[in-house]
């Protein structure tokens, strides 16, 4: 067996985490890539867990372009982000798939917490870690975000000028959906897509949501803020009916079945999902407020039939990048881009984009 000619530089101050040593991904391990379990620290002091993928073909002394990958929101690196990272590593990049703060194998208490600021920072911390490696070219680092971490990736690229290129796949703006609800009709149209609709909540309705969430803090505080909301996804074996919106069923058929289930993923757990206080910051602190100031090249990828397509279309319009592209995958729904079961992830497109801009 060949091995990559690299020595990994640890980040000072990262805490020891209990990491799974065996391969427990939803995708098979590649023979073309060397895989390392790693840890790194963000500027809030939270230690993150990652999977570092290095092409075995790397030469001694080489400095390769690198990509940090995360998402979906409520997923772990053993799912979609790891698949994207390993595949791009097969194509010549050093890649780092990581669990965001409070999720999966990463540190942070209470568990299953999320924050628009901290999850944006997690990308910059991943860039820090990649830039410490002597086999990575610091001037050739990009990021890729899937689903709800796609919005965080764009937000990070606006803030962090070291990010030379940013791509998203099947992107969500989690702050927008938590504040406004879904801005679509929940039933598919005749073409298999979803028609746009007005935001489902006005300021008065949003206020009532905040009243409910804040009153729930009393109980959460007594429980160390560890109280969890109910499971994110339905049980496909018994909960899906003819009236279930198709995209809700698609989520369940990914996260709660053998196809995409992972025991550490928030979205796979039948016992509970996010901490009950998570929506408060997302409702109140929208991301992408400076999207027009983004200078890094951007590739925004979404499925033609995805219920979430409007997130990417609107974000694309708001981006100030001189070099940007919205790429719509024909016939793809939202979860088609989570794995390659239907062969719809445009890996060639991502490869071409990053090879063009990370040089």
């Amino acid at each position: 067996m060949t091995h990559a000619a690299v020595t990994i530089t640890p980040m000072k101050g990262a805490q020891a985490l209990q990491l799974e040593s065996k391969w427990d991904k939803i995708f098979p391990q590649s023979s073309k890539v060397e895989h390392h379990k790693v840890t790194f620290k963000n500027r809030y002091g939270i230690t993150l867990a990652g999977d570092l993928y290095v092409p075995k073909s790397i030469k001694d002394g080489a400095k390769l372009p690198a990509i940090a990958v995360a998402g979906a929101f409520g997923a772990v690196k053993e799912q979609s982000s790891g698949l994207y990272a390993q595949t791009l590593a097969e194509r010549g990049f050093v890649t780092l798939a990581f669990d965001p703060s409070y999720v999966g194998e990463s540190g942070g208490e209470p568990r299953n917490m999320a924050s628009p600021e901290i999850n944006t920072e997690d990308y910059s911390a991943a860039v820090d870690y990649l830039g410490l490696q002597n086999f990575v070219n610091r001037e050739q680092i990009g990021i890729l975000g899937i689903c709800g971490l796609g919005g965080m990736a764009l937000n990070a690229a606006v803030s962090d000028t070291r990010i030379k290129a940013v791509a998203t796949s099947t992107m969500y703006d989690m702050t927008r959906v938590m504040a406004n609800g879904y801005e679509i009709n929940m039933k598919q149209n005749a073409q298999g897509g979803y028609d746009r609709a007005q935001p489902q909540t006005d300021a008065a309705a949003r206020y009532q949501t905040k009243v409910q969430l804040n009153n729930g803090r009393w109980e959460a505080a007594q429980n160390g803020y560890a109280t969890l909301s109910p499971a994110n996804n339905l049980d496909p074996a018994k909960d899906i009916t003819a009236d279930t919106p198709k995209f809700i069923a698609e989520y369940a058929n990914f996260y709660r079945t053998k196809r995409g289930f992972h025991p550490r993923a928030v979205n796979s757990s039948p016992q509970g999902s996010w901490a009950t206080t998570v929506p408060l910051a997302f409702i109140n602190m929208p991301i992408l407020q400076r999207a027009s100031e983004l200078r890094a090249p951007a590739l925004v990828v979404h499925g033609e039939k995805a219920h979430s397509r409007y997130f990417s279309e609107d974000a694309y319009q708001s981006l100030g990048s001189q070099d940007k592209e919205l790429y719509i995958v024909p016939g793809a729904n939202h979860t088609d881009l989570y794995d390659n079961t239907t062969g719809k992830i445009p890996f060639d497109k991502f490869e071409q984009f990053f090879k063009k801009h990370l040089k």
Side-chain angles (χ1 to χ4, degrees):
M1 175 181 286
T2 59
H3 294 278
V6 298
T7 300
I8 295 174
T9 302
M11 180 181 280
K12 292 180 180 178
Q15 297 175 332
L17 297 175
Q18 185 174 353
L19 304 178
E20 177 57 63
S21 59
K22 71 175 185 294
W23 185 266
D24 63 345
K25 326 296 187 192
I26 68 168
F27 52 91
Q29 188 168 10
S30 171
S31 61
K32 300 176 183 178
V33 172
E34 192 166 278
H35 163 255
H36 302 268
K37 301 279 284 196
V38 300
T39 58
F40 57 101
K41 185 178 178 180
N42 70 19
R43 66 186 177 91
Y44 292 112
I46 300 170
T47 297
L48 305 180
D51 287 310
L52 186 69
Y53 297 93
V54 183
K56 288 184 178 178
S57 58
I58 189 172
K59 306 299 183 185
D60 283 330
K63 289 183 177 289
L64 297 184
I67 307 166
V69 190
F73 190 75
V76 288
K77 63 189 180 303
E78 288 75 22
Q79 297 169 310
S80 304
S81 59
L83 172 64
Y84 277 69
Q86 181 177 259
T87 303
L88 288 169
E90 289 179 326
R91 298 172 181 228
F93 302 92
V94 172
T95 60
L96 174 64
F98 65 91
D99 288 333
S101 296
Y102 308 105
V103 170
E105 292 185 305
S106 286
E109 294 288 342
R111 302 305 296 165
N112 295 18
M113 189 58 69
S115 158
E117 163 56 18
I118 295 175
N119 294 147
T120 296
E121 155 62 19
D122 290 340
Y123 272 105
S124 288
V127 172
D128 293 338
Y129 180 79
L130 287 169
L132 293 177
Q133 308 310 315
N134 62 10
F135 50 92
V136 168
N137 187 327
R138 285 187 178 183
E139 299 303 313
Q140 298 175 350
I141 299 177
I143 62 175
L144 191 159
I146 303 160
C147 188
L149 271 294
M152 307 298 182
L154 291 176
N155 206 42
V158 173
S159 172
D160 193 333
T161 57
R162 302 171 303 166
I163 295 169
K164 304 305 181 185
V166 55
T168 64
S169 183
T170 203
M171 180 212 134
Y172 258 57
D173 179 341
M174 295 307 305
T175 61
R176 181 175 177 179
V177 73
M178 289 197 196
N180 296 342
Y182 284 109
E183 299 171 42
I184 55 168
N185 293 321
M186 301 295 278
K187 296 291 185 181
Q188 285 183 305
N189 58 31
Q191 292 73 46
Y194 295 81
D195 296 324
R196 291 294 295 270
Q198 291 298 311
Q200 296 176 26
T201 59
D202 57 19
R206 196 154 39 238
Y207 179 80
Q208 291 305 315
T209 298
K210 290 187 287 187
V211 167
Q212 182 180 9
L213 289 167
N214 282 296
N215 285 339
R217 288 187 64 140
W218 301 118
E219 176 188 347
Q222 289 181 310
N223 193 32
Y225 302 106
T227 305
L228 300 181
S229 298
N232 262 355
N233 289 296
L234 302 175
D235 181 346
K238 61 182 182 180
D239 295 333
I240 295 174
T241 71
D243 294 325
T244 303
K246 189 172 182 184
F247 73 90
I248 300 296
E250 289 165 355
Y251 277 134
N253 284 319
F254 179 79
Y255 284 112
R256 296 287 299 274
T257 70
K258 184 179 179 180
R259 175 185 167 194
F261 178 86
H262 196 280
R264 289 193 293 273
V266 175
N267 292 341
S268 290
S269 174
Q271 279 78 44
S273 58
W274 292 106
T276 55
T277 58
V278 163
L280 286 166
F282 284 81
I283 290 170
N284 203 45
M285 302 178 199
I287 58 174
L288 301 179
Q289 294 304 291
R290 300 287 183 269
S292 63
E293 297 179 13
L294 178 65
R295 295 191 181 187
L299 172 64
V300 179
V301 173
H302 221 102
E304 178 191 15
K305 307 296 187 183
H307 69 283
S308 49
R309 178 174 166 176
Y310 73 95
F311 288 120
S312 284
E313 291 174 331
D314 291 356
Y316 170 78
Q317 292 297 328
S318 73
L319 298 178
S321 306
Q322 293 298 305
D323 188 333
K324 63 179 182 177
E325 181 179 359
L326 175 65
Y327 183 76
I328 302 299
V329 181
N333 65 37
H334 185 86
T335 57
D336 281 336
L337 303 188
Y338 276 9
D339 62 6
N340 228 11
T341 301
T342 58
K344 289 187 169 68
I345 299 177
F347 283 123
D348 289 347
K349 189 72 176 178
F350 288 112
E351 177 187 1
Q352 292 160 9
F353 170 76
F354 282 116
K355 283 188 174 175
K356 177 181 177 182
H357 296 293
L358 300 183
K359 63 180 183 180

